[in-house]
Amino acid sequence: MLSIEQTRQQLVLETRRIVRSANRTIRWCAGLRWLTVVLATLLALALFDCLLRREELGMRWLQLLTWLCVASYWGYRWLLPALRFAATPIDLARWIERQRPVLAGQLSTVLELSQIDPRDHRFGSGSFQEAALQQWTQSSHVQSWQAHVDATPVRRSALMFLSVVLLAGLFGIVWPVESGLAFRRTLLPWASNRWPQQDLLQLHHLPDAVGHGAVVALEITDTKPPLPDLVQVQLRFMDADQAEPLVITAQRLGDIAVANLPPLGRDGQVRAIGGDEFGHGA
């Protein structure tokens, strides 16, 4: 049978060990939840960019700022409290008592008795303290403390994190090029990562010189067919101060589009636009 001093030391060491385990559980749970939200947000933004394929720089910066705001907010809500939280044996004892009302304050009382000087009679005489400690060591509740450090939240958080990782891996397996480009565009909006163009328009039969007042018909083809439904030609005169070019809608004839330019009396530049291609100018 253990002596009273050994009983005190055993209670203190056991509760400190369980407290460290509880603190680790809380931090692991908060860390996994934060990583899950951060990775899920990044995956959602990458999918959003992959679907829209917009090239506006402001849109890409907005995606990065959204991701950083989400990471900062949930880091403040989950990570910081978990890192700052440090439970004491008494906190753990009171939490266990709330989970098991049958203990009715017994565990916290015994822990307090184990931490005071036996010669301090403010909490009862030495014989009373000794009797309380001996009664507790013979109780069946002693061996059940560790069971109250529930690892279920950690396992649930880990499962959610792994689910998001699997989704990200599936995204990378199905669309390896697009997924890598989408993640780079989201995290590095200042880098020149552009989506591959699906249309590549080309002008044909461009004359080197045009007579005054002559009408010119231009043929446009798509080297990456099919040709977009809407093909236009922009005409900008070299000596004009116009802010916007003249836009001529081409008539589609199968795999070729034909645009008739107005009578030309001065030098100008033309380029074809359609689909996601701004075309080649001349």
Side-chain angles (χ1 to χ4, degrees):
M1 185 175 179
L2 296 177
S3 65
I4 295 302
E5 187 60 30
Q6 290 175 330
T7 301
R8 293 175 186 272
Q9 293 178 359
Q10 184 182 28
L11 283 171
V12 171
L13 293 176
E14 180 68 13
T15 52
R16 285 179 180 176
R17 184 179 66 83
I18 299 175
V19 164
R20 287 195 297 268
S21 177
N23 288 333
R24 284 195 303 268
T25 300
I26 292 173
R27 289 164 186 167
W28 269 105
C29 186
L32 288 171
R33 291 170 66 187
W34 180 79
L35 286 174
T36 300
V37 171
V38 168
L39 182 58
T41 303
L42 179 60
L43 179 60
L45 291 173
L47 287 171
F48 176 79
D49 186 50
C50 188
L51 293 175
L52 291 186
R53 303 200 174 197
R54 302 296 296 268
E55 296 297 342
E56 291 85 353
L57 186 60
M59 180 70 73
R60 293 172 60 183
W61 276 103
L62 181 61
Q63 290 180 220
L64 177 62
L65 290 176
T66 300
W67 183 67
L68 292 176
C69 287
V70 170
S72 301
Y73 175 77
W74 291 110
Y76 177 78
R77 288 290 304 273
W78 289 339
L79 283 184
L80 285 183
L83 293 175
R84 292 174 178 174
F85 179 76
T88 64
I90 299 299
D91 294 331
L92 179 63
R94 290 171 179 167
W95 182 83
I96 293 176
E97 290 168 352
R98 288 194 297 270
Q99 299 297 315
R100 299 190 61 182
V102 67
L103 297 179
Q106 299 177 35
L107 179 56
S108 57
T109 300
V110 169
L111 287 179
E112 289 174 349
L113 289 176
S114 67
Q115 296 175 8
I116 63 175
D117 190 337
R119 292 167 295 183
D120 188 349
H121 295 166
R122 289 178 300 170
F123 295 90
S125 63
S127 58
F128 169 78
Q129 297 179 25
E130 180 177 347
L133 290 174
Q134 287 180 347
Q135 181 182 2
W136 179 259
T137 56
Q138 297 171 3
S139 173
S140 60
H141 301 305
V142 176
Q143 304 300 327
S144 62
W145 292 10
Q146 183 64 38
H148 291 280
V149 182
D150 189 7
T152 301
V154 176
R155 290 193 292 267
R156 187 181 299 116
S157 300
L159 183 61
M160 294 176 62
F161 176 69
L162 289 176
S163 300
V164 176
V165 171
L166 289 176
L167 286 176
L170 182 62
F171 179 41
I173 292 173
V174 177
W175 297 288
V177 177
E178 291 83 354
S179 61
L181 183 57
F183 284 124
R184 290 195 301 272
R185 283 168 54 86
T186 302
L187 297 175
L188 304 172
W190 57 86
S192 57
N193 296 313
R194 297 179 62 87
W195 284 110
Q197 294 176 334
Q198 296 180 352
D199 298 290
L200 187 58
L201 302 182
Q202 188 171 6
L203 294 168
H204 296 276
H205 309 302
L206 290 172
D208 295 331
V210 179
H212 181 75
V215 177
V216 179
L218 299 179
E219 293 183 0
I220 305 104
T221 60
D222 192 347
T223 59
K224 294 182 177 181
L227 191 70
D229 293 334
L230 179 62
V231 178
Q232 296 176 325
V233 172
Q234 292 183 344
L235 171 62
R236 185 186 299 274
F237 293 105
M238 301 294 292
D239 57 352
D241 296 331
Q242 63 194 59
E244 296 294 333
L246 179 63
V247 178
I248 301 101
T249 301
Q251 182 180 2
R252 181 172 175 177
L253 303 172
D255 294 334
I256 299 176
V258 178
N260 295 315
L261 302 184
L264 302 175
R266 47 188 170 167
D267 294 338
Q269 292 180 333
V270 293
R271 69 172 180 174
I273 58 174
D276 65 350
E277 164 65 354
F278 284 93
H280 298 274

